[in-house]
């Protein structure tokens, strides 16, 4: 769950999600949106056998999650 930060500008948080897997490099934004309340995200990874992926979530310019996904 992405938690809305109380110091949001105009009551919104800018959320950017970056995914690294077989289809995404991790450099391009996977999802980009404004939220006004807490929100759950489901991300499906495309991983080859014995490879890892990663997800990085940025809220208002600050990385709040940077996690490796193991296959």
């Amino acid at each position: 769950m992405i938690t809305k930060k109380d110091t949001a500008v105009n009551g919104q948080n800018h959320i950017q999600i970056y995914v690294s897997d077989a289809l995404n490099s991790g450099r391009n934004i996977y999802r980009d949106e404004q939220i006004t309340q807490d929100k759950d995200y489901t991300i499906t990874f495309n991983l080859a056998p014995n490879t890892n992926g990663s997800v990085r979530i940025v809220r208002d310019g600050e990385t709040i999650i940077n996690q490796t996904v193991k296959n």
Side-chain angles (χ1 to χ4, degrees):
M1 174 179 299
I2 305 301
T3 306
K4 184 180 141 318
K5 188 168 61 173
D6 291 335
T7 58
V9 176
N10 297 324
Q12 297 183 345
N13 287 148
H14 183 208
I15 302 297
Q16 295 171 303
I17 301 174
Y18 298 83
V19 172
S20 178
D21 64 5
L23 302 176
N24 300 284
S25 70
R27 288 186 274 251
N28 297 323
I29 297 172
Y30 178 79
R31 283 189 80 175
D32 186 2
E33 61 187 29
Q34 301 287 335
I35 63 170
T36 57
Q37 59 189 8
D38 295 355
K39 183 170 183 177
D40 289 322
Y41 290 90
T42 300
I43 299 170
T44 302
F45 289 85
N46 186 336
L47 299 174
N50 301 314
T51 63
N52 296 334
S54 65
V55 61
R56 181 169 61 100
I57 301 176
V58 178
R59 179 182 58 207
D60 297 330
E62 178 185 347
T63 298
I64 59 170
I65 296 174
N66 194 3
Q67 186 173 5
T68 299
V69 178
K70 296 185 179 187
N71 185 6

